[in-house]
Amino acid sequence: MNALQATNRNFIRASRLLGLDSKLERSLLIPFREIKVECTIPKDDGTLVSYVGFRVQHDNARGPMKGGIRYHPEVDPDEVNALAQLMTWKTAVANIPYGGAKGGIGCNPRELSMSEQERLTRVFTQRIHDLIGINRDVPAPDMGTNAQTMAWIFDEYSKFHGHSPAIVTGKPIDLGGSLGREAATGLGVVFGTEALLAEYGKSISNMKFVIQGFGNVGSYAAKFIYERGGKVVAVSDISGAIKNPNGIDIPALLKHKKGNASLKEFQGGDVMDPKDLLVHECDVLIPCALGGVLNKENAGGVKAKFIVEAANHPTDPEADEILSKKGVIILPDIYANSGGVTVSYFEWVQNIQGFMWEEETVNKVLHKYMKKAFDDIKAMCKIHDCNLRMGAFTLGVNRVARATMLRGWEG
């Protein structure tokens, strides 16, 4: 089952629990607008090359649409559609005034020089500048893009519309980016984990954690877990996996990784097969990498009591069923990794006000939002007698459906 089918399935289940009108249900599923553009640029050697860029704008009932732009060779329209829809529900769960969008360009950024990436980004912005906007659609970085990409979009967009720092989030600090944005997703994951564990009378200290993926989200999550006294007993990334039953020294590992060294070369742990990582002995498993990593093949072997979905869609529906039967508690992605988009919202607010916050303020307000969202999800679980995933989906879908009806929806 692909990402779009799984997202649609969760949406339809939530819609049935809420008793939504079938015409409204269909209307909420269909994207507001899909944009596809040709981007032709001269390469450094003078030859011309064309790429296809696109943007799916899913829903704007609760506010401007929000979502990442990815540069990746296999940009699958179905996946982008699913991720745009997921952003609609995610922003509603976090209770920030946005709808969902997602976009990208079908290219391999590793094969492009910096100047080629810049030309491509600027041409893409020229093609879509009149369809995005501070109060219409606000892009952000995603796979294969970063703060520099956002700086180019901001600059190109501003040539048409005047100085507009709020057009994108995830910008460099010097151009109006928010303090705390880089760590936000990882910190949000930890705030969510704390809220979940507190429900069961537990806390992070002395719990054993396994983290799959040691990029931005995984490394920050590991850092904050370590600082709170949690034991990270195994981690993995693209290069491999390591374990240490007494807990890995995360500050030392972060320092090791800063030198671009491979995870496997780290002295503070034993090399292990990355395939065994997800079924490694632990209390809390945090997948921070790709989608679909927990499936019907490996779900039966999972030993964790809690799974915190820091990645998008890491658990496929078959695995979901198996894990539920085993009594594993899953904190769903549309809540667990919403720290990033929440601090993106804070960045947008700061840009519109022209007044920047201290990092301490950013983190304090993020904690408040994450705690409130968790309490709201638990309330929905009680009403509908459902698990946390359905609690989150019913919460998000209900908020979007209500906004749609209140604005005047003719079914």
Side-chain angles (χ1 to χ4, degrees):
M1 188 181 284
N2 70 23
L4 185 61
Q5 289 167 321
T7 309
N8 285 356
R9 188 174 109 151
N10 285 327
F11 165 76
I12 285 161
R13 280 186 172 179
S15 166
R16 300 287 145 82
L17 277 174
L18 293 162
L20 294 190
D21 174 82
S22 62
K23 291 199 283 292
L24 176 61
E25 181 183 288
R26 184 168 159 66
S27 162
L28 288 175
L29 264 186
I30 299 168
F32 167 75
R33 185 193 276 140
E34 294 188 33
I35 304 154
K36 198 171 183 184
V37 293
E38 183 193 26
C39 303
T40 303
I41 58 157
K43 292 200 71 164
D44 291 344
D45 63 8
T47 59
L48 285 180
V49 60
S50 284
Y51 299 97
V52 175
F54 51 87
R55 186 81 175 156
V56 174
Q57 298 174 328
H58 179 256
D59 189 275
N60 60 2
R62 297 181 63 258
M65 293 163 286
K66 187 92 190 77
I69 287 179
R70 55 177 52 182
Y71 288 2
H72 193 267
E74 285 122 38
V75 168
D76 167 32
D78 261 7
E79 190 185 18
V80 174
N81 234 313
L83 292 169
Q85 190 197 133
L86 215 51
M87 283 303 292
T88 297
W89 316 133
K90 185 184 287 187
T91 50
V93 168
N95 209 9
I96 53 179
Y98 287 140
K102 203 74 170 185
I105 300 176
C107 68
N108 187 346
R110 288 204 180 101
E111 289 169 9
L112 297 171
S113 69
M114 276 297 270
S115 56
E116 287 166 344
Q117 285 189 42
E118 178 175 353
R119 286 197 288 277
L120 182 56
T121 303
R122 289 183 183 278
V123 169
F124 182 52
T125 309
Q126 288 163 19
R127 298 283 179 274
I128 66 167
H129 78 89
D130 51 352
L131 295 166
I132 61 173
I134 293 165
N135 297 305
R136 189 175 277 178
D137 178 2
V138 181
D142 201 305
M143 241 154 57
T145 58
N146 55 26
Q148 180 58 68
T149 322
M150 297 305 109
W152 292 326
I153 296 175
F154 153 61
D155 182 69
E156 198 61 32
Y157 181 87
S158 294
K159 290 176 185 174
F160 295 94
H161 302 274
H163 184 70
S164 310
I167 183 54
V168 283
T169 58
K171 296 181 295 295
I173 302 291
D174 293 335
L175 291 177
S178 177
L179 294 170
R181 174 65 190 88
E182 201 189 321
T185 311
L187 185 57
V189 165
V190 172
F191 286 154
T193 305
E194 285 180 320
L196 176 65
L197 293 176
E199 280 290 303
Y200 295 87
K202 295 174 166 38
S203 69
I204 284 177
S205 63
N206 293 323
M207 295 282 271
K208 290 184 174 170
F209 293 80
V210 165
I211 296 176
Q212 185 203 30
F214 208 69
N216 171 282
V217 183
S219 59
Y220 275 110
K223 174 182 183 284
F224 297 128
I225 286 165
Y226 181 86
E227 286 169 4
R228 284 161 174 73
K231 272 187 188 175
V232 180
V233 293
V235 295
S236 71
D237 68 2
I238 296 167
S239 70
I242 56 165
K243 62 181 177 183
N244 183 337
N246 301 316
I248 294 162
D249 181 347
I250 297 298
L253 178 57
L254 290 168
K255 205 166 156 191
H256 171 81
K257 287 281 290 180
K258 262 211 171 78
N260 284 333
S262 146
L263 195 66
K264 290 188 291 192
E265 291 160 11
F266 182 63
Q267 298 301 307
D270 303 321
V271 173
M272 67 181 288
D273 185 341
K275 285 194 193 75
D276 297 336
L277 187 96
L278 295 165
V279 296
H280 194 65
E281 190 73 52
C282 66
D283 300 306
V284 185
L285 171 63
I286 310 183
C288 302
L290 295 169
V293 293
L294 288 163
N295 48 46
K296 60 175 188 286
E297 274 74 52
N298 60 13
V302 169
K303 296 180 187 68
K305 299 166 198 66
F306 301 94
I307 295 173
V308 177
E309 295 186 332
N312 279 320
H313 188 63
T315 316
D316 73 19
E318 290 95 335
D320 229 352
E321 301 289 327
I322 297 165
L323 293 162
S324 282
K325 286 201 177 83
K326 284 179 63 166
V328 178
I329 310 293
I330 300 175
L331 195 66
D333 52 359
I334 64 167
Y335 165 71
N337 64 27
S338 64
V341 71
T342 304
V343 175
S344 279
Y345 162 59
F346 300 163
E347 180 178 335
W348 180 76
V349 166
Q350 291 169 76
N351 294 154
I352 288 170
Q353 288 185 323
F355 178 79
M356 305 310 284
W357 305 353
E358 301 283 337
E359 187 164 358
E360 195 187 339
T361 308
V362 172
N363 294 343
K364 206 164 108 185
V365 185
L366 172 62
H367 184 257
K368 198 173 105 181
Y369 270 78
M370 294 297 296
K371 180 77 184 82
K372 177 80 174 82
F374 184 80
D375 294 342
D376 292 345
I377 291 168
K378 288 300 290 187
M380 285 308 252
C381 291
K382 270 207 178 73
I383 294 168
H384 298 291
D385 187 25
C386 60
N387 64 14
L388 289 165
R389 190 182 308 283
M390 271 306 110
F393 264 90
T394 50
L395 177 65
V397 172
N398 191 42
R399 281 179 174 157
V400 177
R402 282 180 56 137
T404 305
M405 303 287 283
L406 285 166
R407 290 182 68 156
W409 187 80
E410 297 301 326

